[in-house]
Amino acid sequence: MAKIGNREFVTFITSRELQMRVKSMAEELTADYRGKDPLFLIILNGAFMFATDLLKEIKIPARLSFIKVASYRGTESTGEICELIGLSENLKDKDVILVDDIIDTGLTMKKVMDKVREEKPASVKIVSLLLKPDAFGNQFDVDYVGFTIPNDFVVGYGLDYDGYGRNLKDLYKLK
Ligand code: IMP
Ligand code: MG
């Protein structure tokens, strides 16, 4: 059990289980991208721990870069504005792999994908450690999923509750 902020969390997926699954995802990516020149775009902050473990097990040449999504309300005519911070690479004709911690409603990933596609990459695939299908409802393909989980709030292994818990090595869920 872990107390984070004012809430109690119980162990949901252990570090050992996470490591095993992440390793097998890396093996799949290694096989699928052999002979290519993939660029991993890691979405901060949540994906940092997952991406670290995943990339250590990728056995082909690969580049990586970190991006952050900033959303803010624009004017009435522009609606919500989404900006990708940190994207300095030229993505044209590249095989891009987006790495995130969790897809819940899918709104964040959809925005990132739209922005990335504007740069005309050769391909864009999505890797997410976690997927909550209840909220997401299959709006687009998530190409590599670590664990499909129920609609519970989870924390640890990069994911936070009110800024805390990202450093925990196991994944917890709300008690
Ligand atoms: P989405 O845009 O609804 O798919 O959610 C995107 C972001 O919400 C994720 O990248 C997380 O930062 C956060 N999030 C969604 N569900 C959880 C959760 O259970 N725990 C911690 N963060 C979450
Ligand atoms: Mg995230």
Side-chain angles (χ1 to χ4, degrees), residues 103-132:
I103 294 180
D104 182 8
T105 63
L107 283 174
T108 310
M109 186 52 88
K110 178 80 174 62
K111 288 178 194 164
V112 174
M113 245 186 343
D114 290 349
K115 282 281 171 191
V116 164
R117 288 226 170 95
E118 286 173 14
E119 310 286 320
K120 307 268 182 275
S123 68
V124 185
K125 298 270 181 179
I126 300 173
V127 182
S128 185
L129 176 70
L130 306 167
L131 175 74
K132 289 182 180 172

Side-chain angles (χ1 to χ4, degrees), residues 43-47 100-102 108 159 166:
I43 304 171
L44 294 174
N45 294 324
D100 209 351
D101 53 350
I102 186 165
T108 310
L159 293 101
R166 290 195 197 275

Side-chain angles (χ1 to χ4, degrees), residues 37-49:
D37 180 23
L39 171 63
F40 288 85
L41 289 184
I42 297 149
I43 304 171
L44 294 174
N45 294 324
F48 86 96
M49 202 175 279

Side-chain angles (χ1 to χ4, degrees), residues 26 42 44 51-53 55 67 75-76 98 102 117 129 136 146:
I42 297 149
L44 294 174
T52 303
D53 288 341
L55 269 295
I67 60 172
T75 61
E76 210 139 300
L98 298 171
I102 186 165
R117 288 226 170 95
L129 176 70
F136 174 59

